[in-house]
Amino acid sequence: PPPPRRQWLRQERRRWHCPWTFLEEREKEKEREREKEREREERKEKKSSKDKKEKKSKKVESSSEEEEEEAGGRRSGKDKDKKSKKPSKEKEKESKSKKSRDAPPLKIKPRSLTSDSLIKATYEAKAANDSSAKVAPVCVTVTVTNVGACLLQPVSLNVTSSMSVRATLPAQDLTSLSPGASAELRMELTVSSVSKPQKVRCQLKYEAVGEGAPAAPVSLNTELLLPCSSFLQAKEIAVEEFNSLIANNQCPHQSSAVIEGAEGRSFKQTVQLLALFFNLRVVHGLDGAASLYAVTLLGHHVAVLAKGKAGSMVGVDMRCSDEGVCQQLCNEVSGLPLFIASA
């Protein structure tokens, strides 16, 4: 906009009466405008330099991130490596804990008893923990499955007693078993010796009804094996008492074995398998070490020390007050992976 009239008159008077002062002021104004333009250019240059630096830093960060991803999350420099190792270890622990939580519970495969084209029988044997008898019996659960297309009725299991094994509670007969169905036959056996596995003669009988069924009743003669692990009772014991058993030589017989093929299982899961398979009670457990305890049906001490080893193996140190029990249990430890049910 044009200057006000008074200001314009002043400028005209100066220009006509004293032109040199007017020219000086005009030059000063031009210099001020030049300085302002310089300041603007400097600001623009600073902004452009800042933008370039930010772009470079972003490029460096992106390249470093790519290098970290390619190198498996490792960062350059000792300090960065130390910082990156901590969260990676924490993530590994969290992933392991999640896997252990999400993993299905471990189970033991039942032992095979007998089978044919129409029927299949498996069994599990464990010492009774809540029995009031002087010598607790071995509880045997036989699972019978109809694998054919005929109706089976009745189904019975007869056991022949001997000097070392006696049937105190025989199994009750099944009235019928439809195709594809399963049922359990339970019985109790009392043993007189626990230093070696015991064999029991038994006979499974059934009659089939339907097309293609045999005309006469079928009887399957077989032997039921009772391993030494079925003679163990889980018993609570204090840590001090457990240590005194080993220190005072109350378990003089010692034998060791190794559990192989423990890939995909943690040490804690292997200890759980030991406790489940041998009917043991966990006395004390740490990372990579555990102690377990049980008593045989005749009162022998069984102390077990488990330690984790390299290569997903677990070493088992067995100490017992009976030599035969110690050797037989170690043999069963070596064959434990064969009885682990696949998930």
Side-chain angles (χ1 to χ4, degrees), residues 191-209:
V191 296
S192 60
S193 176
V194 297
S195 60
K196 62 180 181 179
Q198 300 293 339
K199 292 182 179 180
V200 185
R201 291 182 181 179
C202 54
Q203 188 180 54
L204 184 65
K205 291 183 179 180
Y206 67 89
E207 292 183 10
V209 179

Side-chain angles (χ1 to χ4, degrees), residues 63-314:
S63 62
S64 62
E65 287 177 358
E66 290 177 356
E67 289 176 358
E68 287 176 358
E69 290 177 356
E70 291 176 355
R74 295 179 181 177
R75 297 178 181 177
S76 60
K78 295 181 180 179
D79 297 334
K80 291 182 180 180
D81 289 337
K82 290 179 181 178
K83 290 180 181 178
S84 62
K85 284 179 182 178
K86 292 180 179 178
S88 64
K89 289 181 180 179
E90 292 177 356
K91 288 179 181 178
E92 287 178 359
K93 289 180 181 179
E94 288 178 358
S95 63
K96 286 181 181 178
S97 62
K98 286 181 181 179
K99 288 180 181 178
S100 62
R101 290 174 186 173
D102 299 336
L106 299 173
K107 294 182 180 180
I108 300 296
K109 290 180 182 179
R111 296 174 182 267
S112 177
L113 182 60
T114 185
S115 63
D116 64 1
S117 60
L118 297 177
I119 197 168
K120 178 182 178 182
T122 58
Y123 72 97
E124 295 178 356
K126 267 192 178 183
N129 291 325
D130 54 353
S131 177
S132 59
K134 291 183 180 179
V135 178
V138 179
C139 298
V140 180
T141 303
V142 180
T143 303
V144 183
T145 305
N146 187 345
V147 295
C150 300
L151 178 67
L152 305 181
Q153 56 178 8
V155 180
S156 61
L157 180 66
N158 299 322
V159 176
T160 303
S161 300
S162 62
M163 294 294 292
S164 56
V165 182
R166 182 170 54 90
T168 55
L169 183 64
Q172 295 182 356
D173 297 347
L174 294 174
T175 56
S176 64
L177 191 64
S178 58
S182 298
E184 292 182 351
L185 298 171
R186 297 181 181 179
M187 58 183 175
E188 292 182 0
L189 305 175
T190 304
V191 296
S192 60
S193 176
V194 297
S195 60
K196 62 180 181 179
Q198 300 293 339
K199 292 182 179 180
V200 185
R201 291 182 181 179
C202 54
Q203 188 180 54
L204 184 65
K205 291 183 179 180
Y206 67 89
E207 292 183 10
V209 179
E211 294 182 0
V218 180
S219 60
L220 301 174
N221 297 320
T222 183
E223 285 185 345
L224 189 147
L225 177 66
L226 296 177
C228 287
S229 58
S230 64
F231 307 147
L232 300 183
Q233 287 180 304
K235 188 177 180 181
E236 292 185 0
I237 187 173
V239 179
E240 296 176 355
E241 294 180 5
F242 182 85
N243 295 332
S244 66
L245 281 176
I246 298 174
N248 297 331
N249 202 20
Q250 296 185 24
C251 298
H253 304 286
Q254 182 178 355
S255 185
S256 60
V258 176
I259 300 175
E260 297 180 354
E263 295 180 0
R265 294 194 307 272
S266 63
F267 176 78
K268 187 177 180 181
Q269 289 176 329
T270 304
V271 172
Q272 291 176 356
L273 283 172
L274 277 172
L276 181 64
F277 187 77
F278 292 95
N279 199 14
L280 300 169
R281 182 65 57 88
V282 178
V283 180
H284 186 63
L286 294 172
D287 293 339
S291 56
L292 303 94
Y293 178 74
V295 178
T296 65
L297 297 174
L298 300 181
H300 301 105
H301 298 290
V302 178
V304 181
L305 302 174
K307 292 182 180 180
K309 291 187 175 183
S312 68
M313 294 189 298
V314 177

